Amino acid sequence: EDQVTQSPEALRLQEGESSSLNCSYTVSGLRGLFWYRQDPGKGPEFLFTLYSAGEEKEKERLKATLTKKESFLHITAPKPEDSATYLCAVQEVDSSYKLIFGSGTRLLVRP
Amino acid sequence: DTEVTQTPKHLVMGMTNKKSLKCEQHMGHRAMYWYKQKAKKPPELMFVYSYEKLSINESVPSRFSPECPNSSLLNLHLHALQPEDSALYLCASSYSGGETQYFGPGTRLLVL
């Protein structure tokens, strides 16, 4: 069965302490992998789309990478405002509209 | 501009009420989506409209009725809801299938 698994479930970092979030997936064919950030009670905010293994994208302190089995979201020198839930979602080749979401990683960055 | 707007932000309704949620985008996107999200869970797809036609209905109960009046607007009509329907309702849009979905801020619904 197709599955998207995110780890860890929760992560506490000190301000400036870099780390990585993981999203592993098992789908028959990958159309795209999407990273979103979600603050409590708000809609997911788009961060990155990755389409093929080896692809990397960066935005400020965030960098997303993709292999054939997983994606990493690297956070460099995080700040308290980076605290949020980070959601990974995968879209299969055979499905143009459905996103398969992971359960998310809740990140807390302490000052 | 990647903005999707939703109204109202909050809604409280009784089980016998009829209400509607509204979603709007002006990005020229041809696919629009309704999701339901419970606390500490990922969004769950409810409906997809593509080119103003209902493309996907994820076996959602008939007390939820979607409508797409034009390519920029998406409504969700609510009737006879249950307390377990309380959740954050999210609208999203994408240029087409397979493209990045952009989410609105959501409507927080409480059913009493």
Side-chain angles (χ1 to χ4, degrees), chain A residues 9-23:
Chain A
E9 287 187 13
L11 181 62
R12 287 187 172 190
L13 298 174
Q14 205 65 35
E15 184 173 2
E17 179 187 2
S18 301
S19 188
S20 296
L21 312 183
N22 178 262
C23 172

Side-chain angles (χ1 to χ4, degrees), chain B residues 18-109:
Chain B
K18 286 186 180 181
K19 297 286 185 182
S20 296
L21 309 184
K22 296 184 185 300
C23 173
E24 191 167 4
Q25 57 87 14
H26 294 287
M27 297 178 278
H29 288 178
R30 303 318 299 255
M32 296 187 76
Y33 310 75
W34 280 116
Y35 286 85
K36 172 182 177 180
Q37 186 176 27
K38 302 284 269 186
K40 296 189 177 181
K41 297 289 187 182
E44 298 175 26
L45 182 64
M46 300 174 71
F47 302 103
V48 180
Y49 273 82
S50 176
Y51 291 87
E52 302 163 47
K53 292 188 191 301
L54 184 63
S55 178
I56 294 176
N57 176 340
E58 290 288 273
S59 302
V60 178
S62 60
R63 56 186 184 268
F64 294 92
S65 176
E67 178 195 19
C68 189
N70 61 54
S71 60
S72 299
L73 293 174
L74 187 66
N75 298 321
L76 186 63
H77 303 296
L78 314 173
H79 173 57
L81 295 193
Q82 304 297 311
E84 58 265 29
D85 296 321
S86 298
L88 182 67
Y89 287 84
L90 296 163
C91 175
S93 71
S94 66
Y95 184 74
S96 64
E99 300 290 331
T100 300
Q101 294 182 24
Y102 295 90
F103 286 82
T107 294
R108 172 70 63 189
L109 174 66

Side-chain angles (χ1 to χ4, degrees), chain A:
Chain A
E1 184 177 321
D2 298 332
Q3 189 171 334
V4 178
T5 304
Q6 289 188 247
S7 61
E9 287 187 13
L11 181 62
R12 287 187 172 190
L13 298 174
Q14 205 65 35
E15 184 173 2
E17 179 187 2
S18 301
S19 188
S20 296
L21 312 183
N22 178 262
C23 172
S24 62
Y25 61 91
T26 53
V27 295
S28 53
L30 180 71
R31 177 188 286 270
L33 185 142
F34 306 86
W35 281 100
Y36 292 90
R37 168 201 169 119
Q38 187 171 27
D39 293 305
K42 300 193 176 179
E45 175 189 345
F46 168 69
L47 294 174
F48 303 109
T49 302
L50 302 167
Y51 289 109
S52 56
E55 192 173 358
E56 298 182 353
K57 289 194 176 171
E58 285 188 71
K59 178 181 176 181
E60 296 179 356
R61 296 179 292 283
L62 300 177
K63 179 180 178 180
T65 62
L66 181 64
T67 73
K68 288 187 177 179
K69 293 184 179 180
E70 59 191 349
S71 176
F72 291 94
L73 185 65
H74 306 279
I75 303 178
T76 302
K79 299 181 178 181
E81 52 263 41
D82 294 322
S83 298
T85 295
Y86 290 84
L87 292 167
C88 168
V90 162
Q91 194 167 63
E92 289 186 279
V93 168
D94 295 337
S95 174
S96 297
Y97 300 102
K98 291 188 182 182
L99 293 178
I100 305 170
F101 278 93
S103 297
T105 293
R106 295 190 307 280
L107 174 66
L108 176 64
V109 181
R110 294 172 292 185

